[in-house]
Amino acid sequence: MSKRDDLIAKYADDLKNKCGMTPDMDLLTKVTIGCGPSIYNADAATVSGSDEGELATVKNNFLIKKLGLSDGPQLDSAIASVLETYGKSNRNKYRAVVYYMLTKHFKKESVYN
């Protein structure tokens, strides 16, 4: 297996065991590929739920630019909801998993088709 396949398996495991979701492996793979090389960098591969700058990056670069959503309080509440589902006490919140859950939350799977 390639390094990316190993990471996708790890993300799927997080979705199952930490988030209680059955992952759509095809979508998870596409979201992971969409994250680009950041998944191989330990700092960039995770999302800090307590860092306002990090949350703004998720909102602006992913929700608004990638998924094409318009800015509003619903974006912040969706991010908070996803981080809550992932588990506040869980230190490693993988970017690809957070993006996958946000994609599902807004029913924007079509962006990756």
Side-chain angles (χ1 to χ4, degrees):
M1 279 175 46
S2 71
K3 181 126 170 79
R4 185 173 73 202
D5 291 337
D6 291 342
L7 288 169
I8 291 169
K10 187 190 298 185
Y11 302 153
D13 184 63
D14 266 18
L15 282 163
K16 277 187 216 129
N17 298 319
K18 294 179 181 169
C19 306
M21 304 172 119
T22 302
D24 171 342
M25 292 308 291
D26 189 44
L27 178 64
L28 181 58
T29 301
K30 289 175 181 173
V31 170
T32 302
I33 291 169
C35 288
S38 70
I39 61 170
Y40 304 110
N41 176 313
D43 185 47
T46 57
V47 173
S48 169
S50 58
D51 181 346
E52 292 302 319
E54 178 77 38
L55 299 178
T57 299
V58 170
K59 183 164 93 170
N60 294 321
N61 293 358
F62 184 71
L63 294 177
I64 296 171
K65 289 181 184 164
K66 178 73 178 170
L67 297 186
L69 299 166
S70 41
D71 196 359
Q74 76 281 7
L75 300 187
D76 294 318
S77 65
I79 293 169
S81 165
V82 160
L83 294 177
E84 187 67 42
T85 301
Y86 209 148
K88 290 225 183 274
S89 60
N90 179 11
R91 271 182 53 80
N92 291 327
K93 294 178 191 64
Y94 293 107
R95 185 171 304 279
V97 174
V98 171
Y99 286 6
Y100 171 88
M101 289 196 291
L102 286 167
T103 302
K104 287 291 222 185
H105 177 87
F106 287 108
K107 298 182 178 22
K108 286 289 195 173
E109 294 90 341
S110 61
V111 169
Y112 289 99
N113 290 341

